[in-house]
């Protein structure tokens, strides 16, 4: 059974930085992509960014472009979300997800880690 464990959440002041980590473990699985999502209070979960395992190509949504970066350590099956210039509207529970099939989508999800940005 694949397990994803996020870490690195917490309270940070606006303008600050934070790095989230996500470790994948358990069972035998292939990784095609790993992604980050977030869910703010009262809102739906939204996609933040992802990294392709084959070539490390990354993508982040426009609202975080230039502030957030997705990276990986494939030897450790870990993915990171480096967040900088944080804003109060970045406050959310952040989830990592793993796509184990060549088709798009994510099959496994972490429990989430809370990031709170104070103004």
């Amino acid at each position: 059974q694949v397990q994803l464990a996020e870490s690195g959440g917490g309270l940070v002041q606006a303008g600050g930085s934070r790095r989230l980590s996500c470790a994948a473990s358990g069972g035998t699985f292939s990784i095609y992509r790993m992604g980050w999502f977030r869910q703010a209070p009262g809102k739906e979960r939204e996609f933040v960014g992802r990294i392709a395992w084959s070539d490390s190509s990354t993508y982040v949504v426009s609202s975080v472009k230039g502030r957030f970066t997705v990276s990986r350590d494939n030897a450790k099956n870990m993915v990171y979300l480096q967040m900088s210039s944080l804003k109060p509207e970045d406050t959310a529970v952040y989830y990592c997800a793993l796509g184990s099939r060549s088709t798009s989508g994510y099959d496994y999800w972490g429990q989430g880690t809370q990031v709170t940005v104070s103004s």
Side-chain angles (χ1 to χ4, degrees):
Q1 182 71 22
V2 176
Q3 294 183 326
L4 301 179
E6 303 99 335
S7 60
L11 177 64
V12 61
Q13 288 189 333
S17 298
R18 200 82 178 181
R19 189 177 82 156
L20 304 183
S21 302
C22 175
S25 63
T28 302
F29 55 93
S30 300
I31 303 177
Y32 284 86
R33 70 198 65 80
M34 290 190 75
W36 289 95
F37 293 74
R38 67 185 180 184
Q39 187 167 19
K43 296 187 177 181
E44 294 187 353
R45 187 177 298 187
E46 66 172 353
F47 173 71
V48 176
R50 65 102 176 111
I51 185 164
W53 227 244
S54 60
D55 61 4
S56 296
S57 61
T58 61
Y59 173 82
V60 294
V61 296
S62 59
S63 60
V64 305
K65 194 170 186 178
R67 301 189 299 120
F68 290 13
T69 302
V70 184
S71 62
R72 71 172 192 187
D73 182 337
N74 59 323
K76 297 180 180 179
N77 285 344
M78 293 193 69
V79 65
Y80 306 97
L81 182 67
Q82 178 67 49
M83 306 182 292
S84 60
S85 301
L86 283 161
K87 305 175 182 180
E89 50 263 43
D90 295 318
T91 295
V93 177
Y94 284 74
Y95 300 88
C96 72
L98 184 153
S100 63
R101 295 170 291 175
S102 58
T103 52
S104 62
Y106 297 88
D107 310 289
Y108 303 97
W109 294 82
Q111 293 298 309
T113 186
Q114 175 72 47
V115 174
T116 302
V117 184
S118 64
S119 58

